[in-house]
């Protein structure tokens, strides 16, 4: 199952809106087949692994990170493939998270005389598809990851706006890995104007997939020469504006190849909950927020954040005039502070990453 998890991870970011899945076929204590789902519309992991095993799949055990599907979609049911291959036993990491599908694959296999064991490395296999699980079980809204990079005293830039670079190369490389794995990345117009970022995924020696770029721009102030509007990328750029923006400016931006969508204003800011609904309707399962303090604070207060990634460098400005991680009004009492659970801390040379989930 550990190997199946590793195989599934190779396609993380490429399978959306499907989950990433890995499978391994074992016969007489020997691995005879390996496979993983590479992209939506392509064969599922079980199919790849069984085809890799060939005749050796007969009487074998297949380990798969997710309950095999039992319905017809772009590809036939994997349960039928398992049955046809004369697989004797199926070991499953986690059940299908869709409440309308959960258990049907397992039920079909058992009804046809195949032994099924489930819940093996359930924590690892569930985390592998946490965005898919959230999306399926929460009205098709994206799984939102909030990322920040700060000094020890909680500053993302100096008073002049200088932020290059707070964290080291290894930390920044890990961020590009995360970008490669998510469906979309979001930032505000303030960061856009200050940094003019590309918002692409760049990993040395590895094929990457750029995330959809989402820019919060209430008044449609983006310049037509911004990098997000002028680069070679297969990923779309979405500019999110409020109502009553200039029709001429909107048309000019759309001619650059970007998509402009409007959402309502709430307390003079873009309604992020409405935006999540619209992004979900566009099959965005996972969203990485890399905006500045205003966007980060707004996302927390809107209640859309699922997971937090705090990169911290062993540096501090030693003053109160730097730009903080979060802007806006916070809670008045400590008991109302945002709190993380399921925490994990990782070192990147001298930097460290605090990773956790909001309750």
């Amino acid at each position: 199952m550990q190997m199946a998890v590793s195989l599934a991870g190779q396609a993380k970011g490429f399978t959306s809106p499907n989950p990433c899945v890995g499978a391994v076929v074992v016969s007489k204590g020997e691995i005879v087949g390996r496979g993983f789902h590479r992209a939506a519309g392509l064969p599922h992991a079980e199919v790849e692994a069984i085809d890799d095993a060939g005749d050796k799949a007969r009487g074998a055990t297949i380990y798969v990170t997710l309950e095999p599907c039992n319905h017809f979609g772009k590809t036939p049911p994997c349960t039928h493939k398992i049955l046809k291959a004369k697989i004797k036993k199926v070991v499953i990491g986690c059940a299908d998270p869709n409440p309308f599908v959960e258990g049907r694959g397992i039920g079909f296999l058992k009804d046809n005389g195949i032994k099924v064991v489930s819940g093996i490395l359930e924590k690892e296999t569930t985390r592998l598809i946490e965005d898919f699980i959230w999306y399926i079980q929460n009205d098709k809204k994206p799984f939102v990851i909030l990322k920040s990079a700060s000094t020890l005293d909680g500053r993302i830039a100096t008073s002049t706006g200088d932020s290059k670079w707070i964290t080291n190369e290894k930390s920044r490389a890990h961020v590009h890995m995360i970008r490669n794995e998510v469906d979309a990345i979001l930032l505000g117009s303030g960061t856009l104007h200050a940094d003019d970022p590309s918002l692409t995924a760049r990993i040395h020696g590895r094929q990457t997939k750029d995330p959809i770029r989402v820019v919060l721009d209430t008044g449609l102030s983006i310049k037509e020469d911004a990098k997000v509007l002028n680069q070679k990328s297969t990923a779309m750029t979405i500019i999110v504006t409020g109502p009553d923006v200039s029709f001429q400016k909107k048309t000019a931006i759309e001619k650059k190849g970007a998509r402009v969508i409007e959402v309502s204003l709430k307390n003079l800011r873009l309604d992020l909950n409405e935006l999540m609904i619209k992004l979900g309707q566009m099959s965005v399962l996972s969203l990485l927020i890399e905006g500045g303090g205003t966007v980060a604070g707004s996302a927390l207060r809107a209640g859309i954040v699922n997971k937090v990634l705090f990169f911290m460098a062993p540096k501090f400005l030693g003053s109160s005039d730097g730009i903080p991680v979060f802007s806006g009004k916070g809670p008045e009492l400590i008991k109302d502070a945002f709190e993380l659970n399921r925490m994990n801390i990782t070192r990147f040379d001298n930097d460290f990453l605090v990773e956790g989930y909001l309750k």
Side-chain angles (χ1 to χ4, degrees):
M1 189 61 76
Q2 288 176 336
M3 180 177 289
V5 170
S6 179
L7 285 167
Q10 293 183 37
K12 184 75 172 172
F14 290 87
T15 62
S16 187
N18 293 346
C20 53
V21 182
V24 175
V25 179
V26 177
S27 177
K28 300 176 182 178
E30 177 188 358
I31 294 172
V32 295
R34 299 175 176 86
F36 61 94
H37 183 42
R38 298 173 184 271
L42 294 182
H44 288 187
E46 299 93 321
V47 175
E48 277 211 349
I50 292 171
D51 286 347
D52 186 40
D55 292 340
K56 293 181 179 179
R58 186 181 184 92
T61 297
I62 186 169
Y63 294 79
V64 58
T65 57
L66 179 65
E67 177 183 354
C69 63
N70 192 44
H71 59 277
F72 285 89
K74 292 183 178 179
T75 58
C78 290
T79 51
H80 292 204
K81 179 76 172 182
I82 292 170
L83 189 63
K84 185 177 180 181
K86 305 297 182 181
I87 293 281
K88 184 178 180 180
K89 180 180 178 182
V90 179
V91 181
I92 297 169
C94 63
D96 192 314
N98 190 332
F100 298 105
V101 178
E102 182 181 6
R104 293 185 183 179
I106 293 174
F108 176 87
L109 294 171
K110 288 182 175 180
D111 289 345
N112 283 276
I114 297 175
K115 184 177 180 181
V116 178
V117 178
S118 60
I120 305 302
L121 294 188
E122 188 171 19
K123 180 179 178 182
E124 292 85 344
T125 53
T126 298
R127 181 174 178 179
L128 185 67
I129 57 169
E130 60 188 4
D131 52 350
F132 177 77
I133 293 173
W134 174 265
Y135 182 82
I136 289 295
Q137 296 182 347
N138 290 274
D139 300 321
K140 295 188 175 181
K141 293 179 183 177
F143 181 84
V144 179
I145 304 167
L146 176 62
K147 168 259 172 183
S148 74
S150 76
T151 61
L152 290 178
D153 47 357
R155 296 295 187 262
I156 59 174
T158 66
S159 59
T160 65
D162 181 48
S163 62
K164 293 183 174 54
W165 294 102
I166 290 176
T167 52
N168 61 36
E169 288 186 10
K170 285 189 176 181
S171 293
R172 299 198 300 274
H174 188 69
V175 171
H176 279 276
M177 185 69 72
I178 297 168
R179 287 183 180 182
N180 180 61
E181 294 179 351
V182 297
D183 289 340
I185 182 172
L186 178 146
L187 82 165
S189 57
T191 301
L192 179 77
H193 295 318
D195 299 340
D196 192 22
S198 298
L199 299 182
T200 55
R202 303 179 298 277
I203 305 172
H204 180 68
R206 178 170 173 173
Q207 179 186 359
T208 58
K209 171 197 66 65
D210 291 338
I212 295 171
R213 295 168 289 274
V214 182
V215 180
L216 302 180
D217 190 2
T218 307
L220 203 55
S221 60
I222 187 172
K223 298 178 181 178
E224 293 182 38
D225 63 353
K227 286 182 181 178
V228 294
L229 299 177
N230 298 277
Q231 61 186 345
K232 293 181 179 179
S233 175
T234 57
M236 167 174 53
T237 295
I238 299 172
I239 311 300
V240 186
T241 73
D244 304 322
V245 296
S246 165
F247 176 78
Q248 290 78 10
K249 181 67 176 290
K250 179 181 178 181
T251 302
I253 296 302
E254 289 177 335
K255 284 183 178 180
K256 301 288 289 185
R259 178 174 177 178
V260 179
I261 62 175
E262 295 183 10
V263 300
S264 305
L265 297 181
K266 191 173 184 179
N267 299 323
L268 302 180
R269 297 195 181 280
L270 295 169
D271 188 335
L272 296 182
N273 279 285
E274 181 182 328
L275 175 59
M276 293 306 104
I277 294 173
K278 292 191 173 185
L279 290 178
Q281 291 169 346
M282 298 168 64
S283 295
V284 173
L285 274 64
S286 54
L287 175 70
L288 176 66
I289 297 179
E290 283 200 37
T294 300
V295 172
S298 296
L300 277 180
R301 288 186 290 275
I304 65 170
V305 179
N306 300 96
K307 186 176 183 178
V308 172
L309 302 177
F310 274 15
F311 290 86
M312 301 191 76
K315 306 172 183 177
F316 50 91
L317 301 182
S319 62
S320 61
D321 61 351
I323 299 175
V325 174
F326 299 105
S327 298
K329 184 175 176 56
E332 296 181 356
L333 301 174
I334 289 295
K335 71 178 182 66
D336 297 323
F338 296 96
E339 185 175 355
L340 299 180
N341 58 23
R342 290 184 285 155
M343 278 183 49
N344 187 48
I345 298 177
T346 307
R347 286 280 298 269
F348 293 95
D349 285 342
N350 289 332
D351 292 350
F352 59 94
L353 166 64
V354 178
E355 179 179 0
Y357 299 81
L358 287 173
K359 292 184 178 179

